[in-house]
Amino acid sequence: NAGVMQNPRHLVRRRGQEARLRCSPMKGHSHVYWYRQLPEEGLKFMVYLQKENIIDESGMPKERFSAEFPKEGPSILRIQQVVRGDSAAYFCASSPKQGASNEQFFGPGTRLTVL
Amino acid sequence: QQQVKQSPQSLIVQKGGISIINCAYENTAFDYFPWYQQFPGKGPALLIAIRPDVSEKKEGRFTISFNKSAKQFSLHIMDSQPGDSATYFCAASTSEAAGNKLTFGGGTRVLVKP
């Protein structure tokens, strides 16, 4: 059973470009979370999705950021018109169900560098 | 009220020693407290987790101590090994919120010297 997969692992963008980060959850997992980790800091929750639904986007910046988890295919975190402050590691996690255990399995992350 | 505060920021311990990392939280609705281990360039991996109905949980060399009244919990790494050198994050979540999103502490960088 493959773990959570993220691609690309490294992404370099110039200011003003768009960044698309992909996450394939573990097989059988229907819950996806995105977290952002700034250098030398802890992870900060961004958004929680189930298939075709955004459940909690309380950690997402109001502008330029969007996320989706379509019925088929990976979850996508999209950042439009990137700025240098968007440089960070973006981690996706998945879990099989909501509720008591809530064990979340993390992917290897995408490290975004904005020039 | 969603904060989780972690200390120390960094820790150096000799091989065979005990590493102790502390976390404090504010939200009394938190009911799940995991610890994650992260190596450079990798994603966090779940190490051990505890719920507030127990005061201690041990798995191998790793022990979580939980003090509900003080709203604090800690990770003890016994017989620390160089391979334990990593960054450790405490986290918390509440089943009252949809999705059980994790609130992370700031992390502790542990270096175990041979």
Side-chain angles (χ1 to χ4, degrees), chain A residues 9 33 35 37 40-45 48 55-56 58 91 98-109 111, chain B residues 31-32 36 38-46 51 87 89 93 95 97-107 109:
Chain A
R9 296 291 308 277
Y33 308 77
Y35 295 84
Q37 184 176 34
E40 307 300 321
E41 292 189 13
L43 288 82
K44 298 285 194 294
F45 169 78
Y48 160 55
I55 307 301
D56 180 356
S58 59
F91 291 96
Q98 179 181 335
S101 72
N102 189 40
E103 182 169 350
Q104 295 183 23
F105 298 83
F106 282 80
R111 279 147 186 86
Chain B
D31 55 13
Y32 175 71
Y36 283 84
Q38 185 180 31
F39 293 104
K42 305 291 185 184
L46 180 66
R51 294 201 170 274
T87 300
F89 293 96
S93 68
S95 54
N100 308 88
K101 64 187 178 187
L102 292 169
T103 300
F104 282 86
R109 185 173 293 181

Side-chain angles (χ1 to χ4, degrees), chain A residues 11-17 82-87 112-115:
Chain A
L11 182 61
V12 179
R13 286 286 178 266
R14 296 192 180 280
R15 281 179 297 170
Q17 291 184 319
V82 297
V83 301
R84 289 220 174 105
D86 297 333
S87 295
L112 172 65
T113 301
V114 179
L115 301 177

Side-chain angles (χ1 to χ4, degrees), chain B:
Chain B
Q1 195 173 17
Q2 291 294 321
Q3 269 192 317
V4 175
K5 295 182 180 179
Q6 184 172 346
S7 62
Q9 286 187 309
S10 62
L11 183 60
I12 299 175
V13 62
Q14 291 295 130
K15 179 182 175 183
I18 302 173
S19 303
I20 302 175
I21 306 170
N22 301 298
C23 284
Y25 63 96
E26 300 169 4
N27 187 354
T28 55
F30 285 148
D31 55 13
Y32 175 71
F33 302 89
W35 284 88
Y36 283 84
Q37 180 187 56
Q38 185 180 31
F39 293 104
K42 305 291 185 184
L46 180 66
L47 198 59
I48 186 172
I50 197 168
R51 294 201 170 274
D53 52 344
V54 297
S55 60
E56 187 174 282
K57 183 174 181 180
K58 184 176 180 179
E59 288 184 3
R61 295 185 294 109
F62 301 92
T63 300
I64 299 180
S65 297
F66 186 82
N67 186 330
K68 187 174 181 178
S69 61
K71 291 187 286 184
Q72 294 176 349
F73 58 110
S74 61
L75 175 71
H76 290 60
I77 307 174
M78 313 299 285
D79 187 25
S80 297
Q81 300 296 312
D84 297 332
S85 297
T87 300
Y88 294 81
F89 293 96
C90 63
S93 68
T94 171
S95 54
E96 293 180 3
N100 308 88
K101 64 187 178 187
L102 292 169
T103 300
F104 282 86
T108 298
R109 185 173 293 181
V110 174
L111 175 63
V112 181
K113 290 194 168 183

